[in-house]
């Protein structure tokens, strides 16, 4: 609202100046209240989204616990807790500053260490909390790849390094107003006139976590017993499909904060006085997220049925999550029908990556590198093919003639930007996390001993099992079998039923 007392006084007659000043003063008060309400609404929306994203840590914990053998349950759940705890401190001290410490250069941020000078007009505590939840999600992805054979100290080191440095640098490149490839750059010097479009993190979060896990699992090598002497893959199945399903639904629920919440604000109008506003875009983003996951789940269901002859619930859960990881990058800039294509192809990418991993004797207990790395990369390419110009202009600023989806008539410049994003993320994470895991291996801090691995880390490293269980091996099968001993023949010579001993 705006009010000019001089112009208004002409219309008011006697005592016009005093009346005009009074009216304008009251309107200014009302205007300030509207501004305060807008800040409160947007901050509440962002905080609620942050809580949803943080709830995904419980989903990761349950998914990981169900996907490993029972003898490693306590270990994997403890690593998920420490991803959040260590990530919280290191993201507070360094990560948020490296990611969003503006003004800075195109490579790394340099302000807000330890949240110094927060809050500002563009950065508040709620934004830190939301971005921290994203950072620890990337660390949680990596922990699944190296499960069941990694020393506890290695988890602490990699989680701190990833959340405090590696991930923040990538998020600065693509999400900060200073990032060299960011579509939010304020100087207008955009990569290929568009910047790399990764709305909620198919590359920034999922590829970073997946590629870090890829190097960790590759340098460690497969779990004992995963491949026989002839190189044939042997399934080391997780102990609880129930926990896998529970974790998947919790992640699904949290994804509605992950993707729609990435708008950061909801009270933004696109066309004043109409239903056209960011609230509508938030709803569309939730719909595209849902459709991609559902399509990927069904595609995986029938795909695995054709390949293995079974209706496998854990495979369907992974397919669902692969669809979510893929749509994350373009969820806000595509139409709902395009999300169905995204989910369908994401399931095929996951199935193909799993086949390739098996042939290369690569062992990832949660398929995290294939799911988040492979499907995340597909999500970036999908965005370059199907992004709508009008949605890009609504979210990233109105730029007439902006490059958009190739299949939508927008040319190939956005595709070029997306391919560059895939290349630089792969190179950066490989150079940093690959080197870290290699150093940990040389220092004998990465993998546990073969004896501890066979016995299980719950007993050897954490003082006891999560709960009583029997492993699916021959020794415990023998315990479960009932031994029987035949009775002496009866006087009549009739045979009798053996008596259990």
């Amino acid at each position: 609202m705006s009010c000019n007392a001089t112009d208004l006084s002409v219309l008011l007659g006697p005592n016009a100046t005093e009346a005009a000043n009074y009216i304008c003063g009251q309107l200014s008060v009302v205007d300030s209240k509207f501004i305060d309400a807008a800040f409160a609404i947007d901050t509440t929306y962002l905080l609620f989204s942050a809580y949803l994203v943080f709830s995904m840590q419980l989903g990761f914990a349950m998914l990981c616990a169900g996907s490993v053998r029972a003898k490693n349950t306590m270990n994997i759940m403890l690593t998920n807790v420490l991803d959040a705890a260590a990530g919280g401190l290191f993201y507070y001290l360094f990560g948020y500053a490296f990611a969003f410490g503006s003004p800075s250069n195109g490579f790394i941020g340099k302000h807000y260490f330890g949240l110094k000078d927060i809050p500002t007009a563009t950065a508040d505590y709620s934004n830190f909390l939301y971005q921290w939840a994203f950072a620890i999600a990337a660390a949680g992805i990596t922990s699944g790849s190296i499960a069941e054979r990694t020393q506890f100290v290695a988890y602490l080191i990699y989680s701190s390094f990833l959340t405090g440095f590696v991930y923040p640098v990538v998020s600065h490149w693509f999400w900060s107003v200073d990032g060299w490839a960011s579509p939010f750059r304020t100087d207008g010097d955009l990569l290929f006139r568009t910047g790399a479009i990764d709305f909620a993190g198919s590359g920034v979060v999922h590829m970073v976590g997946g590629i870090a896990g890829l190097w960790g699992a590759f340098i460690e090598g497969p779990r004992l017993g995963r491949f026989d002497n002839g190189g044939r893959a042997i399934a080391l199945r997780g102990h609880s499909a129930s926990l896998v399903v529970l974790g998947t639904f919790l992640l699904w629920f949290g994804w509605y904060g992950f993707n729609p919440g990435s708008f950061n604000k909801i009270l933004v109008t696109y066309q004043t006085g109409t239903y056209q506003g960011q609230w509508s875009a938030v709803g569309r983003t939730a719909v595209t997220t849902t459709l991609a996951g559902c399509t990927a789940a069904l595609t995986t269901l029938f795909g695995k049925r054709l390949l293995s002859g079974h209706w496998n619930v854990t495979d369907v859960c992974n397919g669902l999550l692969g669809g979510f990881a893929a749509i994350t990058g373009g969820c806000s800039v595509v139409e709902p029908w395009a999300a169905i294509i995204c989910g369908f192809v994401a399931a095929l990418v996951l199935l193909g990556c799993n086949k390739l991993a098996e042939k290369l004797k690569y062992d990832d207990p949660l398929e995290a590198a294939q799911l988040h790395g492979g499907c995340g990369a597909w999500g970036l390419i999908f965005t370059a093919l199907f992004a709508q110009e009008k949605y890009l202009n609504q979210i990233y600023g109105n730029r007439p003639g902006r490059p958009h989806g190739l299949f939508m008539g927008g040319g190939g410049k956005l595709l070029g930007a997306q391919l560059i994003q895939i290349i630089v993320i792969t190179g950066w994470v490989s150079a940093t996390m690959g080197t870290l895991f290699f150093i940990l291996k040389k220092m004998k801090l990465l993998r546990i001993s073969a004896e501890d691995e066979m016995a299980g880390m719950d007993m050897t490293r954490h003082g006891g099992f999560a709960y009583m269980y029997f492993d699916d091996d021959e020794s415990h099968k023998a315990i479960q079998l009932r031994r029987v001993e035949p009775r002496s023949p009866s006087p009549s010579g009739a045979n009798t039923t053996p008596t259990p001993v």
Side-chain angles (χ1 to χ4, degrees), residues 73 111 266 468 491:
T73 304
H111 296 283
I266 192 170
M468 295 302 297

Side-chain angles (χ1 to χ4, degrees), residues 20-108:
N21 286 330
Y22 175 79
I23 293 171
C24 286
Q26 294 301 308
L27 288 175
S28 295
V29 171
V30 173
D31 185 47
S32 297
K33 293 295 184 181
F34 275 119
I35 294 173
D36 294 343
F39 276 119
I41 291 169
D42 288 335
T43 299
T44 301
Y45 175 72
L46 186 59
L47 282 173
F48 180 72
S49 298
Y51 305 150
L52 285 176
V53 177
F54 179 69
S55 73
M56 297 175 76
Q57 290 302 307
L58 178 58
F60 279 125
M62 295 298 99
L63 180 69
C64 290
S67 299
V68 301
R69 289 164 291 179
K71 61 186 179 182
N72 295 311
T73 304
M74 288 180 63
N75 173 264
I76 195 67
M77 288 198 290
L78 182 56
T79 62
N80 277 271
V81 173
L82 289 178
D83 281 338
L89 286 178
F90 280 85
Y91 199 72
Y92 163 76
L93 293 172
F94 310 107
Y96 188 75
F98 288 150
F100 299 102
S102 179
S104 62
N105 55 60
F107 178 75
I108 193 169

Side-chain angles (χ1 to χ4, degrees), residues 101-248:
S102 179
S104 62
N105 55 60
F107 178 75
I108 193 169
K110 56 183 182 181
H111 296 283
Y112 306 148
F113 291 98
L115 297 187
K116 184 180 180 181
D117 300 325
I118 296 289
T120 69
T122 57
D124 199 358
Y125 295 109
S126 56
N127 187 258
F128 163 79
L129 192 73
Y130 187 69
Q131 296 300 333
W132 160 72
F134 271 56
I136 60 176
I141 291 167
T142 305
S143 68
S145 296
I146 57 178
E148 298 202 283
R149 60 205 188 274
T150 305
Q151 291 191 46
F152 194 66
V153 66
Y155 280 110
L156 289 174
I157 293 171
Y158 100 77
S159 181
S160 302
F161 185 57
L162 183 67
T163 55
F165 180 65
V166 177
Y167 167 81
V169 169
V170 177
S171 57
H172 180 82
W173 292 350
F174 302 106
W175 288 346
S176 169
V177 294
D178 301 312
W180 63 269
S182 172
F184 298 106
R185 284 185 68 94
T186 54
D187 59 9
D189 186 17
L190 301 178
L191 179 66
F192 293 145
R193 294 182 50 242
T194 176
I197 303 300
D198 188 10
F199 181 72
S202 285
V204 174
V205 178
H206 294 283
M207 279 192 67
V208 168
I211 294 171
L214 172 69
W215 281 106
F218 174 76
I219 291 172
E220 275 193 306
R223 292 167 290 173
L224 296 178
R226 180 65 177 90
F227 299 96
D228 63 17
N229 293 332
R232 185 174 62 89
I234 298 173
L236 301 179
R237 300 189 185 282
H239 79 281
S240 175
S242 300
L243 289 178
V244 170
V245 173
L246 174 62
T248 300

Side-chain angles (χ1 to χ4, degrees), residues 387-411:
Q388 297 279 350
E389 182 180 11
K390 63 178 180 179
Y391 297 151
L392 289 170
N393 285 332
Q394 288 173 355
I395 297 166
Y396 297 103
N398 190 24
R399 296 178 183 273
R402 168 194 289 274
H404 50 284
L406 178 63
F407 293 167
M408 301 295 103

Side-chain angles (χ1 to χ4, degrees), residues 11 29 75 81 101 112 122 129 147 222 271 279 293 316 319 339 359 366 385-386 397 417 431-432 454 463:
L11 306 174
V29 171
N75 173 264
V81 173
Y112 306 148
T122 57
L129 192 73
Q271 187 175 340
W279 49 86
V316 171
K359 288 184 178 296
L366 275 90
L385 301 178
F386 291 96
T432 52
M454 292 299 293

